[in-house]
């Protein structure tokens, strides 16, 4: 048998196409959860209530210190023993988003802490409400510098989607394995999966870099005016 056979490439394409759709959907939905929930967690950790802030810090450390695969297994396989029945798609996307939300919250917190103390003092002097302070002063300054870090987590999340196969979500790598098992031929399918992950990761990194440059230019322009 030859090392590479193009006929298997065309035969594997329908499997990989279906898996690619699932992979991209899982990544986008999970990242949306991570970005929004991460910001909420970061804001809670900035709470003046010491007990609330400490409790959220411990939750974040617990999530970051346990494997993502273990968290997915626990929700999907252990949850039903307590009467919590969650579909595989919901469990996988939810835990992937929650896991990375813990990391994104640290990125948000770093951006918030990087805002100059004088900005907070000026908001207090102007008697701005807490909501308006966050929405119009702090977050517009904190978010642009952290876009590259959030983009790195987006790419990392994309590369971790194969974990979802553990709970029977047929993402791209799992589809390649199914094709290989049916045809006793893995080379073409696995190489195509690797190529797809490489191209998507490079494209995502380029987009994130462009967005970061645009946001920083806009931020500097606003400050200059």
């Amino acid at each position: 048998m030859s090392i590479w056979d193009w006929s298997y490439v065309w035969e594997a394409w329908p499997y990989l196409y279906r898996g690619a759709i699932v992979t991209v959907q899982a990544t986008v939905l999970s990242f949306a959860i991570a970005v929004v929930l991460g910001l909420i967690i970061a804001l809670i950790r900035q709470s003046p209530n010491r007990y609330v802030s400490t409790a959220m810090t411990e939750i974040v450390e617990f999530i970051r210190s346990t494997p993502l695969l273990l968290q997915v297994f626990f929700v999907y396989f252990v949850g039903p023993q307590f009467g919590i029945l969650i579909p595989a798609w919901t469990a996988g996307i939810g835990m992937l988003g929650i896991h990375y939300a813990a990391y994104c919250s640290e990125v948000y917190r770093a951006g918030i802490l990087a805002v100059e103390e004088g900005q907070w003092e000026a908001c207090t002097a102007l008697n701005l409400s807490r909501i308006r302070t966050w929405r119009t002063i702090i977050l517009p300054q904190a978010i642009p510098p952290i876009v590259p870090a959030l983009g790195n987590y987006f790419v990392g999340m994309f590369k971790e989607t194969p974990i979802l196969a553990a709970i029977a979500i047929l993402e791209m790598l799992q589809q390649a394995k199914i094709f290989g098992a049916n045809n006793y031929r893995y080379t073409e399918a696995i190489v195509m999966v690797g190529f797809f992950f490489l191209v998507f990761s490079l494209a995502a990194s380029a987009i994130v870099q462009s967005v970061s440059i645009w946001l920083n230019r806009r931020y500097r322009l606003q400050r200059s005016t």
Side-chain angles (χ1 to χ4, degrees):
M1 296 179 65
S2 59
I3 297 177
W4 185 267
D5 190 334
W6 284 102
S7 65
Y8 283 104
V9 172
W10 311 126
E11 191 174 344
W13 172 247
Y15 289 82
L16 302 185
Y17 176 77
R18 290 193 296 268
I21 295 298
V22 173
T23 296
V24 172
Q25 288 178 340
T27 303
V28 172
L29 292 175
S30 299
F31 186 69
I33 294 172
V35 168
V36 175
L37 184 58
L39 177 58
I40 294 173
I41 293 173
L43 294 178
I44 293 175
R45 292 187 65 183
Q46 296 299 118
S47 170
N49 189 313
R50 182 169 58 89
Y51 298 103
V52 172
S53 177
T54 301
M56 184 54 68
T57 300
E58 295 301 322
I59 292 173
V60 168
E61 290 304 316
F62 174 79
I63 294 174
R64 295 176 61 198
S65 301
T66 52
L68 173 58
L69 182 59
L70 178 62
Q71 295 169 8
V72 173
F73 273 5
F74 186 86
V75 170
Y76 187 69
F77 292 110
V78 180
Q81 298 183 27
F82 297 93
I84 304 174
L85 301 175
I86 302 177
W89 178 258
T90 304
I93 299 303
M95 289 314 304
L96 190 59
I98 292 173
H99 184 83
Y100 273 89
Y103 288 94
C104 289
S105 70
E106 289 295 302
V107 175
Y108 280 119
R109 197 165 71 92
I112 292 170
L113 294 177
V115 176
E116 298 176 3
E117 187 67 25
Q119 299 291 319
W120 297 91
E121 296 173 353
C123 292
T124 302
L126 293 171
N127 198 29
L128 296 181
S129 67
R130 189 171 180 82
I131 293 178
R132 189 176 180 184
T133 297
W134 281 104
R135 182 173 58 84
T136 62
I137 305 299
I138 304 303
L139 291 181
Q141 296 182 70
I143 290 179
I146 66 175
V147 169
L150 293 176
N152 288 339
Y153 283 129
F154 175 74
V155 175
M157 182 181 295
F158 170 69
K159 292 187 290 186
E160 286 215 62
T161 52
I163 286 178
L164 302 179
I167 55 174
I169 295 178
L170 300 181
E171 45 71 50
M172 197 173 190
L173 183 58
Q174 185 65 12
Q175 290 281 14
K177 291 166 63 179
I178 291 174
F179 173 82
N182 291 339
N183 296 273
Y184 304 102
R185 182 84 180 191
Y186 288 90
T187 303
E188 291 79 8
I190 296 299
V191 169
M192 290 173 66
V193 171
F195 181 74
F196 174 78
F197 272 81
L198 175 63
V199 171
F200 187 94
S201 297
L202 292 176
S205 298
I207 292 172
V208 169
Q209 184 177 8
S210 299
V211 171
S212 177
I213 293 173
W214 178 77
L215 285 175
N216 280 291
R217 285 178 178 174
R218 183 178 179 182
Y219 171 64
R220 286 196 298 268
L221 180 62
Q222 288 177 342
R223 293 198 66 176
S224 63
T225 56

